[in-house]
């Protein structure tokens, strides 16, 4: 805004007009174009191609059987029991991952927003899991859950949670908790970082005023902290939900979708369909379906956010 | 200042309990990784759930370093991650600067598109990318990985950089431009030096992301000599009949660069998010 005024008041109308043109139509794109070109070529174009695949038969195992098939992939999807099972698993995977990550992350952010001895070191250490490569955390947690050599089944048995130290990852009813635990461990720091940033932007005098008025810690939290955090919470929860629903690495390494598809989520199902069965057409149809579901979710949450923030 | 009530004795005990809980939760798996890496192979099973290994050894580390392709995977990952981090940071700095300083036609659309790229299942574009990369003859090349990773990391890195630029007063480059600098010169000589922490945070963030990426590397790389670290390590599972000790030793070594980067950046990351745009 300031720059516009500065340029308009420059002497010489012609030069000013030319530099306005330069500034509004050309110069921003000088800085933006590498980013735009890369995103367009590597993400948007493949996205369009991917959507078009979902209306085709592209099966590398049957290369002569390709061509447009209309909605065939989608009707097949509708009656695919594995897909619906994967969708249900996606729901539980996402729900528990995000819930646990959020509450632990919020707790950590509140803790880091106070003063204590050794805070800098503490912050660096508790944020570390986020820097651990996913496949490595998957392997480590698979080891921790291993009934022969891992401690977790033994501890759970000692606590009476399990009747004996058996293989949780091999039990269709419990297997999903393995990747969920690993995901929570890995994802808490990210929530903590974003929420901490939001906490630190709350003006301090709000708290001083509340203290003078004799507000309890709980009142301060619900009346000041939470309302201030609400917009940040809405946006991070939305982005993270979508991200987690799409996130198959942990499951891929820890259980491979097994036992008996009990940990297969939609995105790992896409991967299996594309790269084990080499059926790209069908995989794309599943992906489009997932995209549709996530878009609906995002829109719902944005509407909800608008209502919440207005109040 | 905030949460003054936390000074009460019961609160203080609760607080230190919470600190202990988070530390244990964050560090225990890493400790276990390290423990297995320094346990001799023959004791891995019998030591099982012991908290402390009954014998130490560094043989897993020497075996990984000198008898496997670890160093080649490590170098490939380093090339890919540094390349990605460098390219992404330069491009995202440009884009973030444009978002921070200009009003221009299509700005909102471009921002919206960047947000949308964070939303759709990346698996959706895996198949098309595979076919494009294959038809260009770039399968098994580190270049293709760098290009793909850079594109993937640009949106978030751009928002991050924008929030750092937003924190720097506009008057600074205006003053420099009055003194006869072009905008680009002003950016390079005045603004960028002030954004160094932001550039560092972005660089580190993208480096860690590229260092851990598995699915695209798994898909685009199948030859041993261009495998990045995650893919190479996964092949340990089949190739060496799950040599856990070596695998965990390799894991510990792989942790070193990303953890160093991360410890360095996390302070700036909080600072950068505080100052602006990602607040939504």
């Amino acid at each position: 805004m300031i720059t516009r005024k500065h340029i308009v008041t420059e002497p010489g109308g012609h030069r000013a007009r030319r530099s306005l043109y330069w500034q509004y139509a050309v110069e921003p794109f000088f800085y933006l174009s590498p980013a735009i070109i890369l995103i367009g070529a590597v993400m948007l174009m493949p996205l369009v191609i991917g959507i078009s695949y979902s209306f085709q038969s592209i099966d590398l195992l049957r290369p002569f059987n390709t061509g447009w098939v209309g909605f065939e992939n989608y009707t097949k999807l509708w009656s695919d029991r594995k897909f619906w099972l994967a969708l249900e698993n996606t729901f539980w995977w996402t729900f528990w991952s995000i819930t646990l990550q959020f509450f632990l992350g919020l707790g950590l952010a509140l803790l880091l927003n106070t003063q204590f001895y050794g805070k800098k070191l503490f912050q660096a250490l508790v944020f570390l899991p986020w820097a651990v490569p996913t496949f490595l955390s998957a392997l480590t947690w698979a080891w921790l859950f291993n009934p022969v050599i891992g401690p977790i089944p033994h501890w759970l048995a000692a606590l009476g949670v399990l009747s004996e130290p058996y293989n949780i990852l091999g039990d269709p009813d419990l297997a999903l908790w393995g990747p969920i635990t690993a995901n929570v461990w890995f994802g808490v720091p990210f929530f903590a970082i974003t929420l901490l940033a939001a906490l630190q932007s709350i003006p301090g005098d709000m708290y001083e005023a509340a203290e003078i008025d004799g507000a309890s810690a709980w009142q301060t939290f619900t009346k000041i902290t939470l309302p201030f955090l609400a917009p940040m919470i809405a946006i991070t929860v939305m982005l993270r939900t979508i991200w987690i629903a799409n996130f198959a690495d942990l499951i891929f390494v820890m259980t491979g979708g097994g036992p008996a598809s009990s940990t297969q989520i939609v995105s790992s199902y896409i991967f299996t369909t594309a790269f084990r069965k080499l059926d790209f057409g069908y995989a794309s149809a599943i992906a489009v379906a997932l995209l549709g579901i996530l878009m609906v979710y995002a829109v719902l949450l944005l509407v909800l956010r608008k209502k919440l923030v207005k109040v | 200042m905030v949460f003054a009530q936390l000074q009460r004795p019961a609160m203080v005990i609760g607080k230190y309990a919470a600190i202990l809980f988070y530390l244990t939760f964050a560090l225990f798996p890493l400790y276990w990784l390290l423990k297995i890496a320094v346990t001799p192979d023959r004791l891995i099973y019998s030591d099982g759930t012991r908290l402390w290994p009954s014998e130490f050894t560094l043989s897993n580390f020497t075996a990984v370093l000198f008898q496997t392709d670890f160093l080649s995977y490590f170098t490939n990952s380093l090339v890919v991650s540094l390349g990605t981090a460098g390219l992404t940071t330069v491009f995202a700095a440009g884009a973030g600067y444009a978002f921070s300083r200009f009003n221009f036609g299509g700005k909102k659309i471009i921002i919206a598109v960047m947000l949308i790229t964070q939303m759709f299942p990346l698996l959706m574009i895996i198949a098309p990318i595979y076919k494009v990369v294959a038809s260009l003859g770039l399968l098994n090349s580190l270049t293709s990985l760098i290009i793909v990773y850079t594109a993937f990391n640009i949106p978030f890195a751009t928002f991050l950089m924008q929030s750092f630029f937003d924190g720097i007063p506009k008057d600074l480059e205006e003053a420099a431009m009055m003194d006869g600098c072009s905008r680009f010169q002003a950016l390079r000589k005045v603004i960028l030096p002030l954004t160094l922490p932001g550039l560092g945070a972005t660089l580190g963030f993208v480096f860690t992301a590229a260092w851990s990426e598995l699915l695209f590397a798994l898909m685009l790389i199948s030859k041993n000599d261009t495998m990045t670290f995650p893919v190479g390590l996964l092949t340990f599972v089949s190739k060496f009949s799950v040599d856990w000790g070596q695998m965990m030793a390799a894991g510990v070594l792989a942790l070193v660069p990303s953890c160093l980067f991360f410890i360095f950046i996390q302070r700036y990351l909080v600072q950068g998010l505080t100052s602006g745009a990602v607040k939504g």
Side-chain angles (χ1 to χ4, degrees), chain A residues 138-162:
Chain A
L139 290 172
T140 310
W141 281 99
W143 178 282
L144 289 170
F145 274 110
N146 187 300
V148 183
I149 40 184
I152 291 177
H154 287 269
W155 291 346
L156 289 179
L159 288 170
V161 182
L162 294 181

Side-chain angles (χ1 to χ4, degrees), chain A residues 104 115 123 143 275 305, chain B residues 15 22 36 126 183 266 280:
Chain A
L104 287 171
Q115 294 303 323
Q123 176 172 319
W143 178 282
F275 290 96
R305 177 184 174 224
Chain B
K15 189 165 145 179
Y22 278 110
I36 295 161
I126 264 194
R183 182 179 277 276
Q266 41 92 18

